[in-house]
Amino acid sequence: MLTFKNTNIACIILLVLTILGHKMYGISWLIYIAILFVYSLIVGYGCYFVSSGFFMPMYCSANTTDKVIAITFDDGPVKGGTPLVLQILMDADVKAAFFCIGNRIAGNEAIIKQIDADGHIIGNHSFSHSTLFDLLPAEKMLVEMQQMDSGLYNVIGKKTRLFRPPYGVMNPNLKNAIVKGNYLPIGWSVRSYDTMAKDADALLQKVTPKIKPGAVFLFHDRCPITVVMLPGFIERVKSEGYRIERLDKLLGLPAYA
Ligand SMILES: [Zn+2]
């Protein structure tokens, strides 16, 4: 299996062989550049594609043939979007998972309480969701994650076990922080790219063919277009004979400590 450890071992072996080859047969130093280039491509792939499990195994979907999926929302709570999403979910009697950003809790406590009271679950999506998050050392990442935990605990009295990386980017430091904090790393199997969508119908047409047994959909409750698309998506899921299960139940994981 392609993992960070295996890739490092293969890279070191290739570099040693290249040194020997250079000394014994005079092969070109350009081979070094080629090896490092391929290494960077593979590591970049592992960082960006969380479902690859390159740095650590991630929970991205359920292994089932049952017609069941889960839906998740990242980057809330936000005043404009989250309450609208909650209303749509309530009308459709659907439970979902919300991966919330810690620094958005203050001032939105009522929304957080509503998410919990409606029977949805809340996961950790870091405190700042900063673009620099992935450059932090593991200790500082963990501080951020725990900051989010305490903010959530102060509002609903629960400590989440589920963590989803900001921007969906993994790296070795984040793996260490997840392990140290005893979090369960959550990915997805269907990334809707709703943050980049321009048209709700087009978004709906794009995601519905991906309704498959065990799929985990990633949406954003901060996106107005997602709010417009959501009722149609839920209707389509149900019309295809699927049910929507809450993420923790679909994956068989504890949502809270
Ligand atoms: Zn996010």
Side-chain angles (χ1 to χ4, degrees), residues 180-213:
K180 273 186 196 161
N182 196 28
Y183 293 97
L184 297 165
I186 306 295
W188 56 82
S189 60
V190 181
R191 188 173 200 166
S192 65
Y193 291 102
D194 53 349
T195 52
M196 291 188 259
K198 301 270 185 291
D199 179 85
D201 281 338
L203 178 61
L204 185 63
Q205 297 312 319
K206 197 178 97 179
V207 293
T208 46
K210 295 171 182 169
I211 300 169
K212 299 270 160 45

PDB file of all heavy atoms in Angstrom, residues 180-213:
ATOM      1  N   LYS A 180      -2.168  12.178  19.195  1.00  0.00           N
ATOM      2  CA  LYS A 180      -1.981  12.668  20.575  1.00  0.00           C
ATOM      3  C   LYS A 180      -3.295  13.094  21.207  1.00  0.00           C
ATOM      4  O   LYS A 180      -3.517  12.908  22.395  1.00  0.00           O
ATOM      5  CB  LYS A 180      -1.025  13.864  20.580  1.00  0.00           C
ATOM      6  CG  LYS A 180       0.446  13.467  20.672  1.00  0.00           C
ATOM      7  CD  LYS A 180       1.318  14.705  20.822  1.00  0.00           C
ATOM      8  CE  LYS A 180       2.763  14.352  20.515  1.00  0.00           C
ATOM      9  NZ  LYS A 180       3.588  15.509  20.195  1.00  0.00           N
ATOM     10  N   GLY A 181      -4.172  13.700  20.418  1.00  0.00           N
ATOM     11  CA  GLY A 181      -5.449  14.180  20.952  1.00  0.00           C
ATOM     12  C   GLY A 181      -6.523  13.109  20.996  1.00  0.00           C
ATOM     13  O   GLY A 181      -7.637  13.377  21.421  1.00  0.00           O
ATOM     14  N   ASN A 182      -6.161  11.879  20.541  1.00  0.00           N
ATOM     15  CA  ASN A 182      -7.110  10.761  20.535  1.00  0.00           C
ATOM     16  C   ASN A 182      -8.379  11.070  19.733  1.00  0.00           C
ATOM     17  O   ASN A 182      -9.482  10.747  20.145  1.00  0.00           O
ATOM     18  CB  ASN A 182      -7.467  10.359  21.975  1.00  0.00           C
ATOM     19  CG  ASN A 182      -8.123   8.991  22.031  1.00  0.00           C
ATOM     20  OD1 ASN A 182      -7.868   8.143  21.167  1.00  0.00           O
ATOM     21  ND2 ASN A 182      -8.981   8.770  23.003  1.00  0.00           N
ATOM     22  N   TYR A 183      -8.187  11.744  18.591  1.00  0.00           N
ATOM     23  CA  TYR A 183      -9.318  12.043  17.715  1.00  0.00           C
ATOM     24  C   TYR A 183      -9.497  10.918  16.694  1.00  0.00           C
ATOM     25  O   TYR A 183      -8.556  10.166  16.415  1.00  0.00           O
ATOM     26  CB  TYR A 183      -9.074  13.348  16.946  1.00  0.00           C
ATOM     27  CG  TYR A 183      -9.056  14.579  17.818  1.00  0.00           C
ATOM     28  CD1 TYR A 183      -7.849  15.117  18.262  1.00  0.00           C
ATOM     29  CD2 TYR A 183     -10.243  15.194  18.199  1.00  0.00           C
ATOM     30  CE1 TYR A 183      -7.826  16.248  19.075  1.00  0.00           C
ATOM     31  CE2 TYR A 183     -10.231  16.323  19.003  1.00  0.00           C
ATOM     32  CZ  TYR A 183      -9.018  16.843  19.432  1.00  0.00           C
ATOM     33  OH  TYR A 183      -8.997  17.951  20.237  1.00  0.00           O
ATOM     34  N   LEU A 184     -10.693  10.861  16.139  1.00  0.00           N
ATOM     35  CA  LEU A 184     -10.960   9.943  15.029  1.00  0.00           C
ATOM     36  C   LEU A 184     -10.955  10.783  13.752  1.00  0.00           C
ATOM     37  O   LEU A 184     -11.780  11.691  13.605  1.00  0.00           O
ATOM     38  CB  LEU A 184     -12.324   9.270  15.229  1.00  0.00           C
ATOM     39  CG  LEU A 184     -12.417   8.403  16.492  1.00  0.00           C
ATOM     40  CD1 LEU A 184     -13.868   8.084  16.823  1.00  0.00           C
ATOM     41  CD2 LEU A 184     -11.620   7.118  16.307  1.00  0.00           C
ATOM     42  N   PRO A 185      -9.996  10.519  12.834  1.00  0.00           N
ATOM     43  CA  PRO A 185      -9.872  11.371  11.638  1.00  0.00           C
ATOM     44  C   PRO A 185     -10.935  11.059  10.595  1.00  0.00           C
ATOM     45  O   PRO A 185     -11.065   9.930  10.128  1.00  0.00           O
ATOM     46  CB  PRO A 185      -8.474  11.021  11.111  1.00  0.00           C
ATOM     47  CG  PRO A 185      -8.209   9.637  11.599  1.00  0.00           C
ATOM     48  CD  PRO A 185      -8.977   9.446  12.874  1.00  0.00           C
ATOM     49  N   ILE A 186     -11.692  12.070  10.244  1.00  0.00           N
ATOM     50  CA  ILE A 186     -12.835  11.889   9.344  1.00  0.00           C
ATOM     51  C   ILE A 186     -12.574  12.574   8.005  1.00  0.00           C
ATOM     52  O   ILE A 186     -12.209  13.754   7.968  1.00  0.00           O
ATOM     53  CB  ILE A 186     -14.126  12.484   9.958  1.00  0.00           C
ATOM     54  CG1 ILE A 186     -14.380  11.916  11.362  1.00  0.00           C
ATOM     55  CG2 ILE A 186     -15.322  12.229   9.044  1.00  0.00           C
ATOM     56  CD1 ILE A 186     -14.673  10.440  11.420  1.00  0.00           C
ATOM     57  N   GLY A 187     -12.782  11.832   6.925  1.00  0.00           N
ATOM     58  CA  GLY A 187     -12.686  12.405   5.588  1.00  0.00           C
ATOM     59  C   GLY A 187     -14.059  12.425   4.949  1.00  0.00           C
ATOM     60  O   GLY A 187     -15.064  12.751   5.597  1.00  0.00           O
ATOM     61  N   TRP A 188     -14.132  12.027   3.706  1.00  0.00           N
ATOM     62  CA  TRP A 188     -15.392  11.969   2.946  1.00  0.00           C
ATOM     63  C   TRP A 188     -15.133  11.085   1.739  1.00  0.00           C
ATOM     64  O   TRP A 188     -13.967  10.817   1.398  1.00  0.00           O
ATOM     65  CB  TRP A 188     -15.801  13.367   2.481  1.00  0.00           C
ATOM     66  CG  TRP A 188     -14.716  14.003   1.678  1.00  0.00           C
ATOM     67  CD1 TRP A 188     -14.453  13.807   0.350  1.00  0.00           C
ATOM     68  CD2 TRP A 188     -13.693  14.882   2.154  1.00  0.00           C
ATOM     69  NE1 TRP A 188     -13.333  14.517  -0.002  1.00  0.00           N
ATOM     70  CE2 TRP A 188     -12.849  15.178   1.076  1.00  0.00           C
ATOM     71  CE3 TRP A 188     -13.416  15.444   3.412  1.00  0.00           C
ATOM     72  CZ2 TRP A 188     -11.732  16.006   1.195  1.00  0.00           C
ATOM     73  CZ3 TRP A 188     -12.318  16.264   3.529  1.00  0.00           C
ATOM     74  CH2 TRP A 188     -11.490  16.544   2.430  1.00  0.00           C
ATOM     75  N   SER A 189     -16.189  10.647   1.085  1.00  0.00           N
ATOM     76  CA  SER A 189     -15.987   9.936  -0.181  1.00  0.00           C
ATOM     77  C   SER A 189     -16.476  10.773  -1.353  1.00  0.00           C
ATOM     78  O   SER A 189     -16.097  10.521  -2.489  1.00  0.00           O
ATOM     79  CB  SER A 189     -16.681   8.572  -0.158  1.00  0.00           C
ATOM     80  OG  SER A 189     -18.063   8.723   0.051  1.00  0.00           O
ATOM     81  N   VAL A 190     -17.338  11.771  -1.068  1.00  0.00           N
ATOM     82  CA  VAL A 190     -17.812  12.650  -2.147  1.00  0.00           C
ATOM     83  C   VAL A 190     -17.590  14.109  -1.730  1.00  0.00           C
ATOM     84  O   VAL A 190     -18.236  14.598  -0.800  1.00  0.00           O
ATOM     85  CB  VAL A 190     -19.306  12.429  -2.458  1.00  0.00           C
ATOM     86  CG1 VAL A 190     -19.732  13.347  -3.606  1.00  0.00           C
ATOM     87  CG2 VAL A 190     -19.586  10.970  -2.805  1.00  0.00           C
ATOM     88  N   ARG A 191     -16.668  14.755  -2.423  1.00  0.00           N
ATOM     89  CA  ARG A 191     -16.428  16.186  -2.168  1.00  0.00           C
ATOM     90  C   ARG A 191     -17.260  16.949  -3.190  1.00  0.00           C
ATOM     91  O   ARG A 191     -17.039  16.813  -4.401  1.00  0.00           O
ATOM     92  CB  ARG A 191     -14.931  16.480  -2.351  1.00  0.00           C
ATOM     93  CG  ARG A 191     -14.541  17.864  -1.927  1.00  0.00           C
ATOM     94  CD  ARG A 191     -13.025  18.037  -1.961  1.00  0.00           C
ATOM     95  NE  ARG A 191     -12.637  19.163  -1.138  1.00  0.00           N
ATOM     96  CZ  ARG A 191     -11.389  19.409  -0.752  1.00  0.00           C
ATOM     97  NH1 ARG A 191     -10.411  18.606  -1.108  1.00  0.00           N
ATOM     98  NH2 ARG A 191     -11.115  20.458  -0.002  1.00  0.00           N
ATOM     99  N   SER A 192     -18.212  17.725  -2.695  1.00  0.00           N
ATOM    100  CA  SER A 192     -19.155  18.371  -3.628  1.00  0.00           C
ATOM    101  C   SER A 192     -18.555  19.584  -4.331  1.00  0.00           C
ATOM    102  O   SER A 192     -19.048  19.992  -5.370  1.00  0.00           O
ATOM    103  CB  SER A 192     -20.406  18.812  -2.861  1.00  0.00           C
ATOM    104  OG  SER A 192     -20.066  19.826  -1.926  1.00  0.00           O
ATOM    105  N   TYR A 193     -17.498  20.144  -3.750  1.00  0.00           N
ATOM    106  CA  TYR A 193     -16.931  21.412  -4.265  1.00  0.00           C
ATOM    107  C   TYR A 193     -18.017  22.479  -4.360  1.00  0.00           C
ATOM    108  O   TYR A 193     -18.027  23.288  -5.296  1.00  0.00           O
ATOM    109  CB  TYR A 193     -16.240  21.200  -5.629  1.00  0.00           C
ATOM    110  CG  TYR A 193     -14.970  20.391  -5.521  1.00  0.00           C
ATOM    111  CD1 TYR A 193     -14.954  19.043  -5.869  1.00  0.00           C
ATOM    112  CD2 TYR A 193     -13.788  20.971  -5.054  1.00  0.00           C
ATOM    113  CE1 TYR A 193     -13.794  18.287  -5.742  1.00  0.00           C
ATOM    114  CE2 TYR A 193     -12.623  20.220  -4.928  1.00  0.00           C
ATOM    115  CZ  TYR A 193     -12.639  18.880  -5.281  1.00  0.00           C
ATOM    116  OH  TYR A 193     -11.486  18.141  -5.146  1.00  0.00           O
ATOM    117  N   ASP A 194     -18.935  22.458  -3.384  1.00  0.00           N
ATOM    118  CA  ASP A 194     -20.021  23.449  -3.385  1.00  0.00           C
ATOM    119  C   ASP A 194     -19.502  24.869  -3.176  1.00  0.00           C
ATOM    120  O   ASP A 194     -20.158  25.831  -3.579  1.00  0.00           O
ATOM    121  CB  ASP A 194     -21.087  23.090  -2.332  1.00  0.00           C
ATOM    122  CG  ASP A 194     -20.501  22.867  -0.941  1.00  0.00           C
ATOM    123  OD1 ASP A 194     -19.266  22.784  -0.811  1.00  0.00           O
ATOM    124  OD2 ASP A 194     -21.287  22.754   0.016  1.00  0.00           O
ATOM    125  N   THR A 195     -18.317  25.008  -2.571  1.00  0.00           N
ATOM    126  CA  THR A 195     -17.764  26.356  -2.354  1.00  0.00           C
ATOM    127  C   THR A 195     -17.415  27.026  -3.687  1.00  0.00           C
ATOM    128  O   THR A 195     -17.285  28.231  -3.764  1.00  0.00           O
ATOM    129  CB  THR A 195     -16.495  26.308  -1.479  1.00  0.00           C
ATOM    130  OG1 THR A 195     -15.601  25.359  -2.052  1.00  0.00           O
ATOM    131  CG2 THR A 195     -16.808  25.909  -0.057  1.00  0.00           C
ATOM    132  N   MET A 196     -17.241  26.217  -4.724  1.00  0.00           N
ATOM    133  CA  MET A 196     -16.878  26.776  -6.018  1.00  0.00           C
ATOM    134  C   MET A 196     -18.057  26.762  -7.004  1.00  0.00           C
ATOM    135  O   MET A 196     -17.937  27.227  -8.125  1.00  0.00           O
ATOM    136  CB  MET A 196     -15.721  25.988  -6.621  1.00  0.00           C
ATOM    137  CG  MET A 196     -14.426  26.192  -5.855  1.00  0.00           C
ATOM    138  SD  MET A 196     -13.067  25.454  -6.729  1.00  0.00           S
ATOM    139  CE  MET A 196     -12.855  23.956  -5.853  1.00  0.00           C
ATOM    140  N   ALA A 197     -19.179  26.197  -6.560  1.00  0.00           N
ATOM    141  CA  ALA A 197     -20.321  26.043  -7.470  1.00  0.00           C
ATOM    142  C   ALA A 197     -20.978  27.395  -7.748  1.00  0.00           C
ATOM    143  O   ALA A 197     -21.024  28.268  -6.885  1.00  0.00           O
ATOM    144  CB  ALA A 197     -21.336  25.084  -6.869  1.00  0.00           C
ATOM    145  N   LYS A 198     -21.469  27.538  -8.950  1.00  0.00           N
ATOM    146  CA  LYS A 198     -22.117  28.807  -9.345  1.00  0.00           C
ATOM    147  C   LYS A 198     -23.625  28.631  -9.515  1.00  0.00           C
ATOM    148  O   LYS A 198     -24.363  29.585  -9.559  1.00  0.00           O
ATOM    149  CB  LYS A 198     -21.544  29.293 -10.692  1.00  0.00           C
ATOM    150  CG  LYS A 198     -20.033  29.538 -10.676  1.00  0.00           C
ATOM    151  CD  LYS A 198     -19.740  30.974 -10.266  1.00  0.00           C
ATOM    152  CE  LYS A 198     -18.262  31.320 -10.347  1.00  0.00           C
ATOM    153  NZ  LYS A 198     -17.428  30.665  -9.376  1.00  0.00           N
ATOM    154  N   ASP A 199     -24.067  27.365  -9.612  1.00  0.00           N
ATOM    155  CA  ASP A 199     -25.456  27.110  -9.947  1.00  0.00           C
ATOM    156  C   ASP A 199     -25.956  25.877  -9.171  1.00  0.00           C
ATOM    157  O   ASP A 199     -25.328  24.819  -9.211  1.00  0.00           O
ATOM    158  CB  ASP A 199     -25.532  26.861 -11.474  1.00  0.00           C
ATOM    159  CG  ASP A 199     -26.933  26.553 -11.911  1.00  0.00           C
ATOM    160  OD1 ASP A 199     -27.677  27.502 -12.155  1.00  0.00           O
ATOM    161  OD2 ASP A 199     -27.270  25.355 -11.990  1.00  0.00           O
ATOM    162  N   ALA A 200     -27.070  26.069  -8.450  1.00  0.00           N
ATOM    163  CA  ALA A 200     -27.564  24.994  -7.582  1.00  0.00           C
ATOM    164  C   ALA A 200     -27.973  23.755  -8.385  1.00  0.00           C
ATOM    165  O   ALA A 200     -27.706  22.626  -7.964  1.00  0.00           O
ATOM    166  CB  ALA A 200     -28.744  25.495  -6.756  1.00  0.00           C
ATOM    167  N   ASP A 201     -28.593  23.961  -9.542  1.00  0.00           N
ATOM    168  CA  ASP A 201     -29.015  22.819 -10.359  1.00  0.00           C
ATOM    169  C   ASP A 201     -27.810  22.029 -10.861  1.00  0.00           C
ATOM    170  O   ASP A 201     -27.801  20.795 -10.848  1.00  0.00           O
ATOM    171  CB  ASP A 201     -29.846  23.292 -11.566  1.00  0.00           C
ATOM    172  CG  ASP A 201     -31.274  23.594 -11.145  1.00  0.00           C
ATOM    173  OD1 ASP A 201     -31.691  23.052 -10.109  1.00  0.00           O
ATOM    174  OD2 ASP A 201     -31.927  24.387 -11.840  1.00  0.00           O
ATOM    175  N   ALA A 202     -26.800  22.779 -11.308  1.00  0.00           N
ATOM    176  CA  ALA A 202     -25.587  22.116 -11.805  1.00  0.00           C
ATOM    177  C   ALA A 202     -24.916  21.328 -10.680  1.00  0.00           C
ATOM    178  O   ALA A 202     -24.438  20.200 -10.893  1.00  0.00           O
ATOM    179  CB  ALA A 202     -24.623  23.155 -12.371  1.00  0.00           C
ATOM    180  N   LEU A 203     -24.928  21.902  -9.486  1.00  0.00           N
ATOM    181  CA  LEU A 203     -24.332  21.210  -8.331  1.00  0.00           C
ATOM    182  C   LEU A 203     -25.105  19.922  -8.044  1.00  0.00           C
ATOM    183  O   LEU A 203     -24.513  18.863  -7.827  1.00  0.00           O
ATOM    184  CB  LEU A 203     -24.343  22.146  -7.109  1.00  0.00           C
ATOM    185  CG  LEU A 203     -23.797  21.576  -5.804  1.00  0.00           C
ATOM    186  CD1 LEU A 203     -22.327  21.165  -5.931  1.00  0.00           C
ATOM    187  CD2 LEU A 203     -23.950  22.592  -4.665  1.00  0.00           C
ATOM    188  N   LEU A 204     -26.422  20.037  -8.078  1.00  0.00           N
ATOM    189  CA  LEU A 204     -27.263  18.863  -7.836  1.00  0.00           C
ATOM    190  C   LEU A 204     -26.990  17.778  -8.880  1.00  0.00           C
ATOM    191  O   LEU A 204     -26.836  16.599  -8.540  1.00  0.00           O
ATOM    192  CB  LEU A 204     -28.743  19.289  -7.877  1.00  0.00           C
ATOM    193  CG  LEU A 204     -29.766  18.214  -7.524  1.00  0.00           C
ATOM    194  CD1 LEU A 204     -29.598  17.740  -6.094  1.00  0.00           C
ATOM    195  CD2 LEU A 204     -31.183  18.745  -7.723  1.00  0.00           C
ATOM    196  N   GLN A 205     -26.907  18.179 -10.138  1.00  0.00           N
ATOM    197  CA  GLN A 205     -26.645  17.204 -11.213  1.00  0.00           C
ATOM    198  C   GLN A 205     -25.271  16.560 -11.040  1.00  0.00           C
ATOM    199  O   GLN A 205     -25.060  15.414 -11.389  1.00  0.00           O
ATOM    200  CB  GLN A 205     -26.699  17.875 -12.596  1.00  0.00           C
ATOM    201  CG  GLN A 205     -28.049  18.463 -12.969  1.00  0.00           C
ATOM    202  CD  GLN A 205     -29.201  17.506 -12.732  1.00  0.00           C
ATOM    203  OE1 GLN A 205     -29.105  16.322 -13.003  1.00  0.00           O
ATOM    204  NE2 GLN A 205     -30.285  18.009 -12.168  1.00  0.00           N
ATOM    205  N   LYS A 206     -24.348  17.322 -10.478  1.00  0.00           N
ATOM    206  CA  LYS A 206     -22.976  16.804 -10.310  1.00  0.00           C
ATOM    207  C   LYS A 206     -22.891  15.777  -9.178  1.00  0.00           C
ATOM    208  O   LYS A 206     -22.189  14.781  -9.295  1.00  0.00           O
ATOM    209  CB  LYS A 206     -22.036  17.983 -10.016  1.00  0.00           C
ATOM    210  CG  LYS A 206     -20.570  17.648 -10.229  1.00  0.00           C
ATOM    211  CD  LYS A 206     -19.690  18.842  -9.984  1.00  0.00           C
ATOM    212  CE  LYS A 206     -19.140  18.796  -8.592  1.00  0.00           C
ATOM    213  NZ  LYS A 206     -18.255  19.901  -8.261  1.00  0.00           N
ATOM    214  N   VAL A 207     -23.604  16.045  -8.081  1.00  0.00           N
ATOM    215  CA  VAL A 207     -23.430  15.168  -6.921  1.00  0.00           C
ATOM    216  C   VAL A 207     -24.354  13.945  -6.918  1.00  0.00           C
ATOM    217  O   VAL A 207     -23.997  12.912  -6.354  1.00  0.00           O
ATOM    218  CB  VAL A 207     -23.573  15.928  -5.574  1.00  0.00           C
ATOM    219  CG1 VAL A 207     -22.438  16.902  -5.397  1.00  0.00           C
ATOM    220  CG2 VAL A 207     -24.912  16.623  -5.440  1.00  0.00           C
ATOM    221  N   THR A 208     -25.531  14.056  -7.543  1.00  0.00           N
ATOM    222  CA  THR A 208     -26.470  12.926  -7.437  1.00  0.00           C
ATOM    223  C   THR A 208     -25.951  11.613  -8.039  1.00  0.00           C
ATOM    224  O   THR A 208     -26.247  10.552  -7.478  1.00  0.00           O
ATOM    225  CB  THR A 208     -27.862  13.274  -8.017  1.00  0.00           C
ATOM    226  OG1 THR A 208     -27.707  13.918  -9.268  1.00  0.00           O
ATOM    227  CG2 THR A 208     -28.635  14.165  -7.092  1.00  0.00           C
ATOM    228  N   PRO A 209     -25.166  11.627  -9.120  1.00  0.00           N
ATOM    229  CA  PRO A 209     -24.664  10.327  -9.602  1.00  0.00           C
ATOM    230  C   PRO A 209     -23.715   9.655  -8.604  1.00  0.00           C
ATOM    231  O   PRO A 209     -23.389   8.478  -8.754  1.00  0.00           O
ATOM    232  CB  PRO A 209     -23.894  10.698 -10.881  1.00  0.00           C
ATOM    233  CG  PRO A 209     -24.383  12.053 -11.259  1.00  0.00           C
ATOM    234  CD  PRO A 209     -24.758  12.730  -9.994  1.00  0.00           C
ATOM    235  N   LYS A 210     -23.304  10.423  -7.593  1.00  0.00           N
ATOM    236  CA  LYS A 210     -22.349   9.860  -6.621  1.00  0.00           C
ATOM    237  C   LYS A 210     -23.056   9.257  -5.404  1.00  0.00           C
ATOM    238  O   LYS A 210     -22.399   8.880  -4.433  1.00  0.00           O
ATOM    239  CB  LYS A 210     -21.358  10.947  -6.211  1.00  0.00           C
ATOM    240  CG  LYS A 210     -20.507  11.352  -7.415  1.00  0.00           C
ATOM    241  CD  LYS A 210     -19.652  12.556  -7.154  1.00  0.00           C
ATOM    242  CE  LYS A 210     -18.893  12.897  -8.438  1.00  0.00           C
ATOM    243  NZ  LYS A 210     -18.223  14.182  -8.384  1.00  0.00           N
ATOM    244  N   ILE A 211     -24.365   9.187  -5.462  1.00  0.00           N
ATOM    245  CA  ILE A 211     -25.111   8.529  -4.380  1.00  0.00           C
ATOM    246  C   ILE A 211     -24.871   7.026  -4.509  1.00  0.00           C
ATOM    247  O   ILE A 211     -25.352   6.389  -5.447  1.00  0.00           O
ATOM    248  CB  ILE A 211     -26.623   8.860  -4.467  1.00  0.00           C
ATOM    249  CG1 ILE A 211     -26.837  10.370  -4.359  1.00  0.00           C
ATOM    250  CG2 ILE A 211     -27.396   8.116  -3.396  1.00  0.00           C
ATOM    251  CD1 ILE A 211     -28.254  10.820  -4.708  1.00  0.00           C
ATOM    252  N   LYS A 212     -24.056   6.500  -3.595  1.00  0.00           N
ATOM    253  CA  LYS A 212     -23.664   5.080  -3.629  1.00  0.00           C
ATOM    254  C   LYS A 212     -23.733   4.540  -2.198  1.00  0.00           C
ATOM    255  O   LYS A 212     -23.590   5.321  -1.239  1.00  0.00           O
ATOM    256  CB  LYS A 212     -22.217   4.929  -4.134  1.00  0.00           C
ATOM    257  CG  LYS A 212     -21.974   5.460  -5.546  1.00  0.00           C
ATOM    258  CD  LYS A 212     -22.210   4.381  -6.585  1.00  0.00           C
ATOM    259  CE  LYS A 212     -22.470   4.856  -7.977  1.00  0.00           C
ATOM    260  NZ  LYS A 212     -21.745   5.837  -8.628  1.00  0.00           N
ATOM    261  N   PRO A 213     -23.913   3.233  -2.025  1.00  0.00           N
ATOM    262  CA  PRO A 213     -23.968   2.683  -0.663  1.00  0.00           C
ATOM    263  C   PRO A 213     -22.745   3.083   0.171  1.00  0.00           C
ATOM    264  O   PRO A 213     -21.607   2.929  -0.270  1.00  0.00           O
ATOM    265  CB  PRO A 213     -23.996   1.165  -0.894  1.00  0.00           C
ATOM    266  CG  PRO A 213     -24.659   1.019  -2.227  1.00  0.00           C
ATOM    267  CD  PRO A 213     -24.150   2.190  -3.033  1.00  0.00           C
TER     268      PRO A 213
END
